[in-house]
């Protein structure tokens, strides 16, 4: 990322030191109220770094760790919302913020709502993601889990796996097989709170109920929720939108609760539009690049043979091996696609050699892949890539045989003199791409 991690500072709230950091110099302040736990330093590590940098490009960003979590002072017992609200006020005062937009995430949403209702003069706007007015069932709030169900989930799903990489399967299920994300989540858990403190937070959170105060919120409000959120029933978000005066509600497709780790841009696009009145438009940057697609051969059959647990372990090893080779040959990982990778290179010879190295390296751990490579013009949109060059590389990869690196004639022509040998595979029509394309297999 282009922004360096800022200095962590401390605000005094009563006798407790609250860790906070400020980054960016935008036209207004944006204060993030985190969920269960947080750790400021983890905001600058992949995969959360993109969301952090994006928010800092919108506003002057203020991050903090709630008391008892992260870099803030440990406490004997988790405080009630009133005390946490005082912590927010202390952080704003220390950061020189008279007025800020609040972004309440998950469990932090209730505290943000209480602050907005209590201190409208210090609240520019209220934005929430995956938030709840009440945590557990009530006769007039029937879609929340009962206390018994909540405790069962905590004792059987959350607490036993705290600090393990299995938390990703609950909070980011669409990317549960991503080893980088799993490792980040486990580390954040370890640094965010001790197991004993987590149990106290969970117990306290069962009693949270801000339903009676939401009608008093007068600041502009945006409620955002994932339709299939594994952790928070979508009806929580809908309820808030119905009961906060003039609230705007945006419901996203998807199943991830920790969306900022997975696909933050659609959510932050809405946040930016709401707070600034201007919807961001990503200007595509057209460049020449060599695009590589990799894909595991017969992954479904392999998963059925190994079972879910062993398959996830093997997939994590595969991802690590591929990333090692990308680093070795100066490849840029764009994203994982299914069971494979999309990467770009600034030179076709390096891409070809990387493809050969990947095939050999993953074979050693019992995995077979196919690799497709094409050189052409792409559009860089944020951290993603698009354009006809990407489509051609994808189609070439789909035609590769197991253990094969298949390239377009463009690549073959560009690496002339490199010593790389090719065998012609023939001419093909590539779906959705004009003309016929001559393809070549790498190797004698």
């Amino acid at each position: 990322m282009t922004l360096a991690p800022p200095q962590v500072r401390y605000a005094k709230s009563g006798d407790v030191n609250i860790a906070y950091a400020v980054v960016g110099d935008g036209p207004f302040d944006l204060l993030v109220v985190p969920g269960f736990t947080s750790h400021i330093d983890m905001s600058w590590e992949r995969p959360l770094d993109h969301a952090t940098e994006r928010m800092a490009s919108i506003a002057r960003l203020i991050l903090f760790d709630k008391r008892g979590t992260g870099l803030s002072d440990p406490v004997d017992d988790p405080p009630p919302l009133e005390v946490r609200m005082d912590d927010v006020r202390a952080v704003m005062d220390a950061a020189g913020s008279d007025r800020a937009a609040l972004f309440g995430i998950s469990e932090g949403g209730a505290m943000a709502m209480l602050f907005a209702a209590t201190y409208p003069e210090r609240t520019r706007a209220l934005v929430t993601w995956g938030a709840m007015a009440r945590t557990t069932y009530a006769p007039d709030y029937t879609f929340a889990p009962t206390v018994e169900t909540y405790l069962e989930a905590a004792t059987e799903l959350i607490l036993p796996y705290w600090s393990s990489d299995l938390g990703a399967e609950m909070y980011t299920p669409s990317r549960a097989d991503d080893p980088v994300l799993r490792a980040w989540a486990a580390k954040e858990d370890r640094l965010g709170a001790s197991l004993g403190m987590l149990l106290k937070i969970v117990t306290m959170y069962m009693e949270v109920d801000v339903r009676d105060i939401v009608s008093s919120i007068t600041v502009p409000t945006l409620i955002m929720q994932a339709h299939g959120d594994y952790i928070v029933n979508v009806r929580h978000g809908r309820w808030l939108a119905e009961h906060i005066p003039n609230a705007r509600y945006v419901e996203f497709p998807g199943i991830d609760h920790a969306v900022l780790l997975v696909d933050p841009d659609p959510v932050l696009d809405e946040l930016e539009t709401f707070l600034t009145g201007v919807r961001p438009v990503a200007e595509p940057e057209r460049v020449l690049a060599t695009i590589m697609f990799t894909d595991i051969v017969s992954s479904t059959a392999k998963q059925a043979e190994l079972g879910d647990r062993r398959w996830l372990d093997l997939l994590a090893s595969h991802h690590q091996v591929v990333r090692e080779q990308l680093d070795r040959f100066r490849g840029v990982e764009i994203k994982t696609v299914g069971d494979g990778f999309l990467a770009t290179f600034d030179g076709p010879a390096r891409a070809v050699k990387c493809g050969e190295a990947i095939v050999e390296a993953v074979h050693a751990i019992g995995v077979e892949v196919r690799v497709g490579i094409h050189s052409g013009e792409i559009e860089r949109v944020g951290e993603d890539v698009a354009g006809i060059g990407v489509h051609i590389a994808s189609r070439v990869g789909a035609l590769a045989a197991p253990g094969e690196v298949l390239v377009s004639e463009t690549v073959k022509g560009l690496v002339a003199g490199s010593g790389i040998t090719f065998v012609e595979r023939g001419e093909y029509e590539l779906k959705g791409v004009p003309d016929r394309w001559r393809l070549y297999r790498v190797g004698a």
Side-chain angles (χ1 to χ4, degrees), residues 177-249:
D177 60 350
D178 185 335
V180 171
L181 191 149
R182 293 173 76 99
W184 185 96
K187 183 178 179 181
E188 201 273 346
D189 284 351
R190 291 193 299 273
L191 297 177
S194 68
L195 192 59
M197 179 54 67
L198 178 69
L199 177 59
K200 293 177 180 179
I201 292 173
V202 168
T203 303
M204 180 278 297
Y205 195 47
M206 287 191 301
E207 302 176 1
V208 168
D209 186 350
V210 297
R211 290 178 299 163
D212 289 342
I213 63 94
V214 297
S215 62
S216 301
I217 296 174
T218 58
V219 302
T221 301
L222 169 65
I223 308 297
M224 295 186 287
Q225 175 79 39
H227 177 79
D229 192 325
Y230 269 29
I231 300 298
V232 177
N233 188 310
V234 68
R235 293 174 65 186
H236 286 284
R238 294 171 181 172
W239 188 96
L240 288 172
E242 292 170 0
H243 290 81
I244 295 177
N246 303 312
R248 170 172 166 74
Y249 178 65

Side-chain angles (χ1 to χ4, degrees), residues 86 97 181 219 237 244 265 297 303 314 338 407 409 440:
D86 287 341
S97 176
L181 191 149
V219 302
I244 295 177
D265 284 317
V297 177
Q303 182 175 2
L314 181 62
V407 307
E409 189 171 15
Y440 295 82

Side-chain angles (χ1 to χ4, degrees), residues 134-145:
R134 178 184 170 93
T135 310
T136 56
Y137 171 91
D140 55 348
Y141 202 76
T142 57
F143 47 84

Side-chain angles (χ1 to χ4, degrees), residues 34 67 109 117 138 173 207 242 252 311 321 326 328 353 396 410:
R67 60 173 64 199
E207 302 176 1
E242 292 170 0
F252 293 82
W311 167 250
V321 167
L326 290 176
R328 178 184 169 196
K353 292 175 181 177
V396 173
T410 307

Side-chain angles (χ1 to χ4, degrees), residues 294-311:
T294 74
D295 180 49
I296 296 178
V297 177
S298 302
S299 58
T300 302
K302 192 76 172 177
Q303 182 175 2
E305 173 191 341
L306 296 176
D308 290 344
R309 179 69 265 179
R310 289 176 60 201
W311 167 250

Side-chain angles (χ1 to χ4, degrees), residues 425-444:
R425 275 275 305 271
E427 283 190 347
Y428 295 84
E429 289 185 359
L430 307 181
K431 184 178 180 181
V433 179
D435 304 322
R436 291 179 64 83
W437 289 77
R438 193 174 299 277
L439 306 182
Y440 295 82
R441 173 172 63 84
V442 177

Side-chain angles (χ1 to χ4, degrees), residues 8-259:
V8 175
R9 301 181 183 277
Y10 289 88
K12 202 74 172 180
S13 182
D15 295 329
V16 177
N17 296 293
I18 307 298
Y20 75 95
V22 179
V23 63
D25 57 358
F28 60 90
D29 291 342
L30 173 62
L31 186 144
V32 177
V33 185
F36 267 139
T37 65
S38 63
H39 192 285
I40 291 174
D41 286 343
M42 294 295 291
S43 300
W44 310 100
E45 293 190 12
R46 182 177 176 226
L48 187 57
D49 57 345
H50 174 67
T52 303
E53 184 175 38
R54 174 76 193 278
M55 288 187 286
S57 73
I58 297 169
R60 177 176 178 257
L61 180 64
I62 305 173
L63 304 173
F64 77 103
D65 291 333
K66 292 179 290 191
R67 60 173 64 199
T69 69
L71 294 169
S72 292
D73 280 353
V75 293
D76 292 333
D77 293 296
L81 289 180
E82 179 181 355
V83 175
R84 292 190 181 198
M85 187 170 60
D86 287 341
D87 293 346
V88 170
R89 201 151 45 98
V91 167
M92 289 180 63
D93 289 344
S97 176
D98 295 328
R99 193 164 176 255
L102 302 185
F103 185 16
I105 300 173
S106 188
E107 185 259 353
M111 183 164 68
M113 286 183 264
L114 182 59
F115 188 96
T118 307
Y119 300 107
E121 73 281 1
R122 301 202 65 175
T123 307
R124 186 178 192 272
L126 170 67
V127 179
T128 69
W129 171 266
M132 297 163 280
R134 178 184 170 93
T135 310
T136 56
Y137 171 91
D140 55 348
Y141 202 76
T142 57
F143 47 84
T146 63
V147 170
E148 293 76 19
T149 301
Y150 189 86
L151 280 175
E152 182 179 355
T155 55
E156 295 186 8
L157 293 177
I158 299 177
L159 297 175
Y161 301 109
W162 190 250
S163 297
S164 78
D165 65 355
L166 294 179
E169 297 182 12
M170 293 184 288
Y171 291 92
T172 55
S174 75
R175 292 274 297 280
D177 60 350
D178 185 335
V180 171
L181 191 149
R182 293 173 76 99
W184 185 96
K187 183 178 179 181
E188 201 273 346
D189 284 351
R190 291 193 299 273
L191 297 177
S194 68
L195 192 59
M197 179 54 67
L198 178 69
L199 177 59
K200 293 177 180 179
I201 292 173
V202 168
T203 303
M204 180 278 297
Y205 195 47
M206 287 191 301
E207 302 176 1
V208 168
D209 186 350
V210 297
R211 290 178 299 163
D212 289 342
I213 63 94
V214 297
S215 62
S216 301
I217 296 174
T218 58
V219 302
T221 301
L222 169 65
I223 308 297
M224 295 186 287
Q225 175 79 39
H227 177 79
D229 192 325
Y230 269 29
I231 300 298
V232 177
N233 188 310
V234 68
R235 293 174 65 186
H236 286 284
R238 294 171 181 172
W239 188 96
L240 288 172
E242 292 170 0
H243 290 81
I244 295 177
N246 303 312
R248 170 172 166 74
Y249 178 65
V250 180
E251 190 171 298
F252 293 82
I255 58 177
D256 298 300
H257 185 61
V259 71

